[in-house]
Amino acid sequence: MITMKDIIKEGHPTLRLTAEELPIPVSPEVKQLGKDMLTFLINSQDPELAEKYQLRAGVGLAAPQVNQSIRMIAVHIPGIEEGIDEPILSTVMINPKIVSHSVQNACLAEGEGCLSVDRDVPGYVPRHSRVTVTYYDLEGNKHKKRLKNYPAIVVQHEIDHINGIMFYDHINEESPYYLEEGMDVIS
Ligand SMILES: O=CN(O)C[C@@H](CC1CCCC1)C(=O)N1NCCC[C@H]1C(=O)Nc1ccccn1
Ligand code: NI
């Protein structure tokens, strides 16, 4: 199982590579890694397992974060209401691609963090407010999903990782909380 020791930290060169496209259908090893990445996220959001294995709760994970420079991400976004078991989005995306996006940008009111970054980096992280993403699932089926708000932010954070981009690359250095015209602030 994936635990925090498997997650590489900023400064590790793999985090700055552009990851390789995967041939479809994926190999059994890649399939297993995808399942392990999703399981990590689910475990990390379970208070008992997170405590037992000292996991930092996460909603997304990209293969480069476990030192695999391939274009595969996992997201597990819990339902907002307490106790609603159905997650908003729980899947592994292979060769995810943003095929279209809104002109409007959005950012999380709290800023962003990263399981590969052991420090707080304050500031708004401007992203597309809405995205249309195509990807393959672990069975080799092609999907197209339109995402907005928090799920759109999460998927963009993960796709950044397979392109060697860290969230703080987007923060305005002079004015970290600069709000461009029409920015949607998501809380
Ligand atoms: O690349 C992937 N990562 O670096 C894991 C990140 C991904 C998110 C950061 C902003 C958008 C995607 C992650 O999940 N976090 N960032 C660091 C610590 C907190 C944690 C988090 O937001 N946890 C969470 C949130 C809601 C419910 C449960 N847990
Ligand atoms: Ni991250």
Side-chain angles (χ1 to χ4, degrees), residues 36-37 50 56 62 83 114 141 171 186:
D36 292 347
M37 287 166 59
R56 235 179 131 194
C114 182
N141 305 307
I171 296 174
I186 301 166

Side-chain angles (χ1 to χ4, degrees), residues 158-178:
E158 304 316 327
I159 291 177
D160 266 357
H161 275 306
I162 60 178
N163 291 324
I165 298 166
M166 302 293 281
F167 73 91
Y168 44 73
D169 298 343
H170 300 288
I171 296 174
N172 184 314
E173 274 183 29
E174 293 75 54
S175 169
Y177 288 99
Y178 170 72

Side-chain angles (χ1 to χ4, degrees), residues 101-108 112-113 124-131 152-161 165-168 170 180 183-184:
H101 62 79
S102 57
V103 171
Q104 186 188 25
N105 281 348
C107 64
L108 297 184
E112 294 187 16
Y124 288 141
V125 181
R127 296 187 184 281
H128 306 308
S129 179
R130 293 175 297 284
V131 292
I153 299 288
V154 174
V155 168
Q156 290 175 81
H157 178 110
E158 304 316 327
I159 291 177
D160 266 357
H161 275 306
I165 298 166
M166 302 293 281
F167 73 91
Y168 44 73
H170 300 288
E180 60 192 64
M183 174 89 77
D184 179 20

